[in-house]
Amino acid sequence: MNSPGSTKERILGAAELLFAQRGFDGASLRQLTAAAGVNLAAVNYHFGSKEKLIEQVFRRRLDALNAQRLAALAKLADDSNRTLEDVLAAYIRPALELSHEGNGALFMRVLARAFAEHDDTLRQFLSENYGHVMRQFTAEFARLLPQLSKEELYWRIDLVTGALTHAMSGFGMIQRKRDVSEETHREQTAQHLIRFAVAGLSHP
Amino acid sequence: MNSPGSTKERILGAAELLFAQRGFDGASLRQLTAAAGVNLAAVNYHFGSKEKLIEQVFRRRLDALNAQRLAALAKLADDSNRTLEDVLAAYIRPALELSHEGNGALFMRVLARAFAEHDDTLRQFLSENYGHVMRQFTAEFARLLPQLSKEELYWRIDLVTGALTHAMSGFGMIQRKRDVSEETHREQTAQHLIRFAVAGLSHP
DNA sequence: GTCTATATAAAGATAGAC
DNA sequence: GTCTATCTTTATATAGAC
């Protein structure tokens, strides 16, 4: 790992912010290095190219996020009474925690952009590196919803994924009311998302 | 309106394709005019700027689409027994029809990009020109779901919107099976989306 | 590891001939 | 309304001094 204030880390932080705000094409290396307070040449020195930098922006967050999701799912494997709520919580809560720490909310916007981009290179990178996570959760959904055909299940998972991605990309703007604690607010959000996902997956 | 093969119309068609594939920043005026088979200078002559061209790409589809949605909603106003399904169908079916005609599916991808962009200029343009549509539908949802608090309703509408936008942006890739007619396939898709939306909005 | 300077390509936009 | 030619800015990337 990199030390917190290192050049590499500052570039990654600035990249996350500017990619969230202006997109991968919209944010130039000039804006990016200026925001990070480093030299223009530093990106190519440390990452090789803009493309590689983009991959590292994803890796920095997704490695930990998906490890947490799989750990939460593994924990449930012991419990033979695990419910759809439990499995969805294992998927949603780590992302929700990330979106409330530091610039995690910005990253969720970057992720939502990646979804909308339909860019083949990026999709392949995400699929190769993190595809196994979705596959494990899908298997678990199939187990808990045996009445659904394969096609029906895929439809619902796709719709739920779209809903969650969209919602989490907006977290930078959701205003927590002053009389609600940070903890309570996060818990309410989790409940909204989980209940919606349960309804979307399991309706008759 | 423009004649179908006019320079203006060909630019709009090429822009829709390239914006869907590469985004607003990713698609350059050079690529765009080359694809349209027109001169580079034609964009600035006919539209004034790239920004104005982007607005026209939206107008060309959204004017008709949202008019159809409101017309379908108005038709329901007579029926005092109208259901949530009816209202959702009024919102979803016109978009679904658009996405199956000509390059309509490409436009749905452009629209999904616009959602993910979080670009203030674009959001303001869409809100100013088409915000009244969402407001009318929201009022209708509130009437049909009186048990939900305002906050709860907004959450659910936001999640459903994300799901539908995501789903419709993928229509270019959904493979219709050979033994299913185009008509049947579209009807099945409509049913998937409407049932999902009903469940997401009205779960207890 | 960081800097300046620069190479090279491509962007949006416009002027002026036809 | 369409063309060529060009202006100006900005992009990614790299070479070579420190």
Side-chain angles (χ1 to χ4, degrees), chain B residues 118-129:
Chain B
H118 288 248
D119 176 82
D120 284 340
T121 315
L122 199 52
R123 281 174 108 79
Q124 193 180 340
F125 167 79
L126 293 175
S127 162
E128 276 174 9
N129 289 281

Side-chain angles (χ1 to χ4, degrees), chain A residues 38-59:
Chain A
V38 304
N39 192 272
L40 170 61
V43 167
N44 280 281
Y45 176 79
H46 285 286
F47 298 93
S49 70
K50 187 180 184 178
E51 195 61 33
K52 299 279 183 192
L53 167 61
I54 292 173
E55 289 189 6
Q56 290 305 312
V57 168
F58 282 105
R59 268 195 208 287

Side-chain angles (χ1 to χ4, degrees), chain B residues 61-194:
Chain B
R61 303 285 191 186
L62 286 182
D63 283 358
L65 173 60
N66 282 323
Q68 284 173 39
R69 283 170 164 165
L70 289 181
L73 190 61
K75 223 174 182 175
L76 288 177
D78 302 331
D79 179 6
S80 57
N81 291 327
R82 62 189 184 278
T83 64
L84 193 54
E85 275 89 349
D86 297 331
V87 176
L88 283 165
Y91 187 81
I92 290 172
R93 285 189 187 279
L96 212 52
E97 279 164 37
L98 171 58
S99 76
H100 281 85
E101 71 189 32
N103 287 331
L106 288 174
F107 177 73
M108 297 313 288
R109 278 174 62 178
V110 175
L111 203 54
R113 271 187 192 273
F115 260 83
E117 295 267 339
H118 288 248
D119 176 82
D120 284 340
T121 315
L122 199 52
R123 281 174 108 79
Q124 193 180 340
F125 167 79
L126 293 175
S127 162
E128 276 174 9
N129 289 281
Y130 308 104
H132 64 289
V133 178
M134 253 341 270
R135 281 191 289 278
Q136 268 197 244
F137 275 92
T138 299
E140 196 58 33
F141 291 139
R143 205 189 63 84
L144 286 161
L145 299 163
Q147 73 278 21
L148 298 181
S149 70
K150 212 171 179 180
E151 196 205 339
E152 180 72 42
L153 181 64
Y154 285 168
W155 258 110
R156 297 184 183 198
I157 290 177
D158 192 43
L159 285 160
V160 167
T161 307
L164 295 179
T165 308
H166 170 82
M168 293 192 181
S169 79
F171 282 167
M173 285 164 293
I174 289 177
Q175 292 293 346
R176 171 169 59 89
K177 287 178 189 141
R178 227 181 300 283
D179 58 346
V180 181
S181 79
E182 173 69 31
E183 275 297 307
T184 312
H185 180 247
R186 195 184 315 182
E187 187 51 33
Q188 285 173 348
T189 303
Q191 289 301 325
H192 274 121
L193 298 186
I194 292 171

Side-chain angles (χ1 to χ4, degrees), chain A residues 10-185:
Chain A
R10 287 168 65 199
I11 291 174
L12 285 168
E16 188 168 67
L17 169 65
L18 286 169
F19 288 157
Q21 290 177 336
R22 311 180 188 210
F24 305 111
D25 286 299
S28 73
L29 294 184
R30 290 181 139 78
Q31 296 167 334
L32 208 148
T33 48
V38 304
N39 192 272
L40 170 61
V43 167
N44 280 281
Y45 176 79
H46 285 286
F47 298 93
S49 70
K50 187 180 184 178
E51 195 61 33
K52 299 279 183 192
L53 167 61
I54 292 173
E55 289 189 6
Q56 290 305 312
V57 168
F58 282 105
R59 268 195 208 287
R60 185 171 70 139
R61 304 285 192 187
L62 286 182
D63 284 357
L65 173 60
N66 281 324
Q68 284 172 40
R69 282 171 164 164
L70 289 181
L73 190 61
K75 223 175 183 175
L76 287 177
D78 301 331
D79 179 6
S80 57
N81 291 327
R82 60 188 184 277
T83 64
L84 193 55
E85 275 89 350
D86 296 331
V87 176
L88 283 165
Y91 187 81
I92 291 171
R93 286 189 186 278
L96 211 52
E97 279 164 37
L98 170 58
S99 78
H100 281 86
E101 70 190 32
N103 286 333
L106 288 174
F107 177 72
M108 298 313 289
R109 279 174 61 178
V110 175
L111 202 55
R113 272 188 191 271
F115 260 82
E117 296 266 338
H118 287 249
D119 176 81
D120 284 340
T121 315
L122 199 52
R123 282 173 107 81
Q124 195 180 339
F125 167 79
L126 293 175
S127 162
E128 276 174 10
N129 289 280
Y130 308 105
H132 63 290
V133 179
M134 253 340 272
R135 281 192 288 277
Q136 269 197 244
F137 274 92
T138 299
E140 196 59 32
F141 291 139
R143 205 188 61 85
L144 287 161
L145 299 163
Q147 74 277 21
L148 298 182
S149 71
K150 212 172 178 179
E151 196 206 337
E152 180 71 41
L153 180 65
Y154 287 167
W155 257 110
R156 297 185 183 197
I157 289 177
D158 192 43
L159 286 160
V160 166
T161 307
L164 295 178
T165 308
H166 171 81
M168 292 192 182
S169 79
F171 284 167
M173 284 164 292
I174 289 177
Q175 292 293 347
R176 171 168 60 89
K177 286 178 189 140
R178 225 182 302 284
D179 59 344
V180 180
S181 78
E182 173 69 31
E183 275 296 308
T184 311
H185 180 248

Side-chain angles (χ1 to χ4, degrees), chain B residues 50-65:
Chain B
K50 187 180 184 177
E51 194 61 33
K52 299 279 184 192
L53 167 61
I54 293 173
E55 289 189 5
Q56 290 306 312
V57 168
F58 284 104
R59 268 196 208 287
R60 185 171 71 139
R61 303 285 191 186
L62 286 182
D63 283 358
L65 173 60

